[in-house]
Amino acid sequence: ISGTAEAGALVTLFSDSDCTDSIGSGTATAPGVFSIPISVVDNTTTTVYGQATDPLGNVSTCSTTLVTFIEDSVAPARPTVTATAPAS
């Protein structure tokens, strides 16, 4: 998951809108960007929220913008073949 925050801020990602269930964290680099890997359960949809803590310990509110990550590792159902063209 990537985004922007105050340079040097610790960005924590959460799977709930109250920002209580942490799923990863990382520090925003000098230009103010971050990239944080997360792990999700197979075949689930995870909505991700963020919160930043600056180097002085000031904590932002939980983000109102969100990212929804869909993990889909199940193969589709097999197709049903019903006819040929031209008919033989």
Side-chain angles (χ1 to χ4, degrees), residues 21-58:
D21 187 18
S22 175
I23 57 173
S25 64
T27 302
T29 62
V33 296
F34 64 87
S35 181
I36 302 168
I38 63 170
S39 295
V40 297
V41 177
D42 286 348
N43 303 307
T44 61
T45 299
T46 304
T47 301
V48 180
Y49 301 85
Q51 189 174 53
T53 304
D54 71 15
L56 296 176
N58 300 307

